[in-house]
Amino acid sequence: MNLLKKCPKCDSELETNSNNMQVCSICKYWTKKGTVRFDSIMIFA
């Protein structure tokens, strides 16, 4: 399973907590371990 190492929002290190969540301590971005959340990214075409 691939894990994110850097936060996609602020480029800080992500930490894995006991609930299998990866959390950024700087901007509070969170995602389930092994996935990426894209809800904060909008694409305009």
Side-chain angles (χ1 to χ4, degrees):
M1 179 184 306
N2 292 332
L3 298 178
L4 288 175
K5 294 181 181 173
K6 299 261 182 183
C7 174
K9 287 178 85 175
C10 69
D11 207 36
S12 297
E13 293 289 324
L14 289 174
E15 300 173 3
T16 303
N17 66 17
S18 60
N19 296 330
N20 271 344
M21 301 295 282
Q22 288 185 282
V23 181
C24 174
S25 60
I26 306 298
C27 72
K28 304 304 180 200
Y29 174 87
W30 62 271
T31 187
K32 190 174 181 181
K33 190 174 177 181
T35 64
V36 178
R37 277 189 19 214
F38 287 113
D39 60 325
S40 63
I41 299 173
M42 298 182 74
I43 300 173
F44 295 97

